[in-house]
Amino acid sequence: MSVLTNLEKTLSILWTNESARSRYLKDGQLPDGEFSKSIAEAIDERGLRTYAELIAIGRNDLMLSVYPGCARLLNKKWKETLDDYFETCPPKHYRLNMSAADFSQYLKDSRLDLLQKFPYLSDLADYEWIELQLMEDKRQVSPEPHEPLSRPEQFEKSAPIVNPVLSLRNYNYQVPLIVEYLRDGEMPRNITPREIMVAVYRDPETHMGCYVEVTPGIARVIEQAQSTPTSYADLATLAISYSKASNPQDALLEFFEVVEKLQSLKLFIGTQAL
Amino acid sequence: MPTGFLKLKRQLPKLGIGLGLRRDMAAETLEHRAQIGFLELVPENYMGVGGKAREVLLKAASAFPLISHGVNLSIGSTDELNLDYLKELKALLDEYNIAWFSDHLCFTSIEGGYLHDLLPVPFSKSTVKHIVERVKRVQDFVGRPFLLENISYYMYLPGQDMTEGEFTTEILEQADCGLLLDVNNVYVNAVNHGFDAHKFLDTLPLERVVQIHIAGHKMGKEMIIDTHGSPVIEPVYKLLDSVLRKTPVCGVLLERDQNFPDFDEIVTELAEIRKVAEKAQPELVRGDELVRAH
Ligand SMILES: [Fe+2]
């Protein structure tokens, strides 16, 4: 390892790892011992403390902006959690925001202690992250006019265009409700497990993130239309198989309502011929 | 007759007094075309990013000359240069036909991990050699004039065998690139490490300055910190004046990254910078006026 590599590596550990830094400041012990004594002694302590603080502030600012709900929930545990998160998942991307990408997975993999207290924590983290990810998605979306499905051949031979900047998320808890509590400055109460599906997407005009809770049937329709262009007729068949309506006509009417709704929400952003 | 980068510098446009393009001030920035000569973008915020950011960038590009100021080239790291990064950067610079691009004389990553902070490298002959070779490769790859910026550093690293002035000069001359001189960083370093900022300026190859950064700072726990979060102070204006009297430049840029004030305050600060430039280097601001009128 070159001297420069060794120096950059050692300093980055001292700047970001509180216990390594304390050991060095206390008894001059460096994280790896490839340095001469003279170099070890020449590391400026005031500088170490300053960079440690600046890096920690940068990380906290970023994570607070992406995960305001998790931060409120974790409260006094927030700082310790962040330190451990960055130690476990060091940022691998040149884009700052990407440093926050693995937080939900980290909570699932490494923080059973926190999940025991807040079982919905990793769902909440995913919910908070996905909005940012979609806001930054590089795909451009240009909505096209919707055609009314008045003629049967249109129903058979055309398919909806699904907003490409969209993600269907499966949660074990009612995350939107949890977010509401936290936004109001309250701790979530009486949260019991309940599976929900949420469509998260970017509005093509305002570029804002949008969330809509969807039923399993609607989720399947969106998923199918997303994976391959599928005629309205085939989507209707799929939707009807999930419907609780008492007869096929009502189920079909229900499907038309769903299509209209998805269009107005800009989850469907146009119609294409098959 | 100048050759290489110095010759190139003469051909670069005079953009005048500019402002950093920041999400929190983007709307007001775009409305103040008459007060702003050019915009500087942080490419990492736009590389591979769509949505609102791209919309803002397209609007900015249609109204202002844009230049690029990166934060994660990590020129001082011993990690391999990140080719994916360079490809995305080049694509962005080409798409918006950006006249020059810059990054910092520092490292930001090690062993594939990004620290997302501008971290100092030792001022040593071996670091010079390492960085020169990398700057040359970056310039060859991107094919546009490249500037390195002097950073605020809060510690000297062990193993130094040169002064900052010698170090910077060697790198810029051997790699034949330009200098983005941040006069606030000079001030911050001079105070924190106890040297004379004006004397320090004379140790730099000022003829290579293409662009100047000016910003505010604040007192931290133990040192003053380059926060870009407060107004520019008088001694920093003096440094600006001093540099402008010594060498022709193509742009002076106000950096504001946090603690955003009312936009009127930004406009007032830009006017203050313009006033200094008008006296010290009128041709810089004339160029700016032509661009704005156009
Ligand atoms: Fe700067």
Side-chain angles (χ1 to χ4, degrees), chain B residues 110-125:
Chain B
I110 185 71
E111 295 194 318
Y114 284 86
L115 288 124
H116 293 291
D117 211 319
L118 308 172
L119 304 162
V121 289
F123 303 144
S124 71
K125 294 194 181 74

Side-chain angles (χ1 to χ4, degrees), chain B:
Chain B
M1 196 54 193
T3 55
F5 188 84
L6 294 177
K7 190 172 163 200
L8 204 59
K9 176 179 163 181
R10 291 181 162 193
Q11 293 153 12
L12 292 174
K14 298 267 183 199
L15 301 181
I17 314 301
L19 181 66
L21 178 58
R22 301 291 178 266
R23 200 181 48 189
D24 301 71
M25 311 191 283
E28 289 114 319
T29 301
L30 297 178
E31 285 164 12
H32 284 77
R33 181 64 188 94
Q35 285 81 16
I36 303 167
F38 69 104
L39 297 178
E40 184 189 74
L41 61 96
V42 174
E44 288 84 351
N45 294 342
Y46 303 95
M47 284 151 63
V49 175
K52 190 87 197 159
R54 191 175 159 82
E55 186 186 79
V56 167
L57 186 55
L58 287 169
K59 277 188 191 154
S62 69
F64 295 84
L66 294 180
I67 54 150
S68 165
H69 181 53
V71 292
N72 266 321
L73 177 60
S74 201
I75 200 77
S77 172
T78 52
D79 282 0
E80 269 301 305
L81 282 169
N82 184 338
L83 266 189
D84 292 337
Y85 172 89
L86 282 174
K87 277 183 204 156
E88 293 242 28
L89 176 65
K90 182 173 161 48
L92 185 83
L93 301 178
D94 290 347
E95 184 177 354
Y96 295 95
N97 196 18
I98 285 172
W100 68 79
F101 71 111
S102 62
D103 206 299
H104 303 81
L105 190 42
C106 72
F107 82 101
T108 60
S109 59
I110 185 71
E111 295 194 318
Y114 284 86
L115 288 124
H116 293 291
D117 211 319
L118 308 172
L119 304 162
V121 289
F123 303 144
S124 71
K125 294 194 181 74
S126 60
T127 316
V128 168
K129 192 167 168 251
H130 175 68
I131 292 181
V132 165
E133 183 263 333
R134 286 162 73 90
V135 172
K136 284 182 178 165
R137 278 168 49 207
V138 168
Q139 292 186 125
D140 284 349
F141 186 87
V142 175
R144 284 174 193 271
F146 177 57
L147 323 179
L148 275 173
E149 176 181 354
N150 60 306
I151 62 163
S152 286
Y153 48 88
Y154 304 105
M155 63 194 281
Y156 287 112
L157 264 52
Q160 308 205 143
D161 51 20
M162 308 171 90
T163 64
E164 185 189 359
E166 291 163 348
F167 177 75
T168 310
T169 306
E170 282 298 312
I171 289 175
L172 300 181
E173 288 182 350
Q174 287 184 37
D176 196 23
C177 66
L179 176 59
L180 195 177
L181 180 62
D182 188 316
V183 286
N184 181 56
N185 289 348
V186 171
Y187 177 83
V188 165
N189 292 335
V191 172
N192 285 336
H193 304 292
F195 60 78
D196 183 316
H198 286 270
K199 280 189 190 151
F200 170 76
L201 287 181
D202 293 332
T203 68
L204 295 173
L206 292 181
E207 68 282 6
R208 289 183 179 268
V209 178
V210 170
Q211 189 190 337
I212 297 175
H213 271 176
I214 187 160
H217 52 258
K218 73 164 193 194
M219 190 60 210
K221 276 187 194 147
E222 299 183 85
M223 283 186 253
I224 58 171
I225 306 290
D226 171 41
T227 53
H228 303 171
S230 17
V232 180
I233 62 167
E234 196 47 39
V236 177
Y237 279 118
K238 289 235 163 70
L239 287 170
L240 171 68
D241 178 73
S242 169
V243 180
L244 288 177
R245 287 178 194 282
K246 286 174 180 160
T247 188
V249 305
C250 299
V252 177
L253 183 114
L254 175 65
E255 293 188 289
R256 186 72 184 224
D257 292 335
Q258 52 176 300
N259 195 18
F260 295 100
D262 205 67
F263 202 76
D264 289 347
E265 273 182 50
I266 299 281
V267 172
T268 307
E269 248 183 343
L270 288 167
E272 196 59 40
I273 297 167
R274 180 178 301 278
K275 225 160 71 187
V276 175
E278 261 160 9
K279 279 196 196 137
Q281 199 174 121
E283 59 278 22
L284 169 66
V285 195
R286 258 204 302 279
D288 170 23
E289 275 158 5
L290 285 178
V291 172
R292 288 186 294 143
H294 179 70

